Amino acid sequence: HPTEIRTTLDATRDRYEPRRLWVIFQPHQYSRTKHFMEEFADAFGQADEVIVPDIFMARESSLKLSRSGAEELVARMVRHGVSARYLESLDEVTNYLVEEAAEGDVILTMGAGDVYKVADGLVKRLCT
């Protein structure tokens, strides 16, 4: 929920200021994302960088909806002043973070589905 996101990011920012805060947000279901689109777009103000992969489609099944909803969310985030980007897959997200994140950055995964795989992938690639 957007309020929980905002609260979590506020607490994370308080704890880790002035470190750069990356948020990987995987929304859950197109219909829920569409319903909360504007609230989600406004909830990420404390993040320095936000990456949104395709929406996790638990009961809905259209990849087209997943992609278009994630891209629309990113566009709205940018309009709210958030530095956000859409990357289709979790592998793309992991690869991007390996290249762009720096030592000392905080990387927070949020959302539904298998977004935790980004953290697993980072640990494997950066700690071995």
Side-chain angles (χ1 to χ4, degrees), residues 44-116:
F44 290 88
Q46 289 289 353
D48 294 304
E49 304 287 340
V50 179
I51 302 173
V52 180
D54 284 340
I55 295 170
F56 183 73
M57 305 291 275
R59 291 183 284 271
E60 301 160 320
S61 61
S62 172
L63 180 59
K64 182 179 176 184
L65 288 178
S66 173
R67 181 173 296 127
S68 67
E71 289 174 326
E72 180 182 353
L73 177 57
V74 166
R76 290 197 189 195
M77 286 178 174
V78 169
R79 285 195 296 267
H80 281 260
V82 175
S83 178
R85 73 177 52 242
Y86 164 75
L87 294 175
E88 183 177 336
S89 72
L90 298 177
D91 285 339
E92 286 179 69
V93 172
T94 302
N95 291 336
Y96 183 80
L97 289 169
V98 166
E99 294 298 320
E100 298 297 325
E103 185 174 335
D105 287 358
V106 175
I107 301 172
L108 180 65
T109 60
M110 304 180 85
D114 54 356
V115 69
Y116 67 88

Side-chain angles (χ1 to χ4, degrees), residues 1-64:
H1 190 276
T3 302
E4 293 170 335
I5 292 168
R6 191 175 291 109
T7 301
T8 300
L9 295 183
D10 286 346
T12 304
R13 175 58 68 203
D14 285 347
R15 169 64 178 90
Y16 292 104
E17 186 73 45
R19 294 163 67 179
R20 185 164 59 160
L21 175 58
W22 294 81
V23 178
I24 313 333
F25 176 60
Q26 183 181 39
H28 183 240
Q29 297 184 333
Y30 174 80
S31 57
R32 186 171 190 277
T33 304
K34 183 177 178 183
H35 178 76
F36 288 111
M37 185 71 70
E38 205 58 36
E39 292 89 345
F40 279 137
D42 190 52
F44 290 88
Q46 289 289 353
D48 294 304
E49 304 287 340
V50 179
I51 302 173
V52 180
D54 284 340
I55 295 170
F56 183 73
M57 305 291 275
R59 291 183 284 271
E60 301 160 320
S61 61
S62 172
L63 180 59
K64 182 179 176 184

